[in-house]
Amino acid sequence: MKPMSGQLFDQDGQRKYLTADEREAFLKAAERAPRDVRTLCGVLAFTGCRISEALALTADRVDLAGRLIVFESLKKRRKGVYRGVPVPPALLDALDLVHGIRQIQQRRSGGRSVRLWSMSRPTAWRQVKAVMDTAGIGAGPQASPKGLRHGFGVAAVSAGIPLNMVQKWLGHAQLSTTAIYAAAVGDEEHHIASRMW
């Protein structure tokens, strides 16, 4: 039986998102990975983008002055739909250091055709999965790049980010899709509930 989409648990009741502790362990493990894998992991964890959106990222879409990364939403029915996601300064610094963003953006093209990662989607998936294994994130539906995306959504809702902002950052067409992150359980649910206590 295929897992139902739009939910945070699979048909066996297993969680499909990384917890806050798993996200932290993932980022710590990524620090020991090769530099290009480290930046890929950082972009996935801090933006909630899809792995295909990260791999399509070009140097011109890293807005150092605006402190955000601009993704083309690849699941839209038409091309040219973009969304900007604010990111920590340390991630921008790492992207500039590893990929030479400032230097590339000074070219005549501004870096429009320069992709940050040249790896294929299956290779990127394996690299991210290897970092998760190093982080001690066990087997299960959460131990995948999609688990990072779901973890980003849960972390955003847990931090009190309005659903419409989370919707924008994740590139969801419908707010109802984003609302699944309000159904988090465990420590995340307790954190949300504790705001009322």
Side-chain angles (χ1 to χ4, degrees):
M1 179 183 251
K2 192 175 179 185
M4 296 183 335
S5 63
Q7 296 185 8
L8 291 178
F9 298 90
D10 69 8
Q11 74 276 4
D12 296 321
Q14 291 191 314
R15 176 174 43 84
K16 296 195 299 189
Y17 63 91
L18 295 184
T19 65
D21 289 342
E22 288 170 332
R23 287 180 80 228
E24 185 177 329
F26 173 78
L27 289 168
K28 281 193 187 318
E31 291 173 8
R32 298 186 301 274
R35 292 169 15 136
D36 62 331
V37 174
R38 182 181 333 138
T39 56
L40 176 63
C41 290
V43 166
L44 292 170
F46 286 114
T47 68
C49 70
R50 297 170 180 91
I51 198 165
S52 55
E53 292 171 336
L55 294 175
L57 190 62
T58 52
D60 64 310
R61 296 214 194 111
V62 178
D63 185 346
L64 297 170
R67 297 188 317 254
L68 53 89
I69 297 176
V70 179
F71 295 99
E72 183 172 11
S73 295
L74 297 180
K75 288 201 85 174
K76 302 294 182 191
R77 289 193 165 93
R78 58 187 163 85
K79 293 186 81 57
V81 177
Y82 297 93
R83 67 184 191 280
V85 182
V87 293
L91 177 59
L92 292 171
D93 291 344
L95 288 169
D96 186 28
L97 177 69
V98 173
H99 301 280
I101 301 296
R102 287 181 206 281
Q103 186 176 9
I104 293 169
Q105 289 178 349
Q106 291 174 0
R107 296 180 187 170
R108 183 177 300 187
S109 70
R112 278 186 290 283
S113 62
V114 181
R115 290 197 178 196
L116 300 189
W117 299 280
S118 59
M119 61 185 87
S120 68
R121 189 178 187 284
T123 299
W125 199 97
R126 282 191 302 272
Q127 294 287 347
V128 172
K129 183 70 172 105
V131 172
M132 288 187 173
D133 291 345
T134 300
I137 299 168
Q142 83 283 4
S144 69
K146 185 80 172 219
L148 279 169
R149 180 170 167 79
H150 289 317
F152 174 88
V154 169
V157 169
S158 296
I161 305 296
L163 278 180
N164 64 320
M165 291 303 297
V166 180
Q167 175 189 14
K168 176 186 166 194
W169 295 340
L170 289 173
H172 291 155
Q174 302 293 322
L175 189 60
S176 59
T177 304
T178 312
I180 67 164
Y181 299 113
V185 297
D187 291 340
E188 292 76 19
E189 185 175 30
H190 289 227
H191 174 72
I192 293 167
S194 71
R195 288 185 270 167
M196 301 184 307
W197 302 336

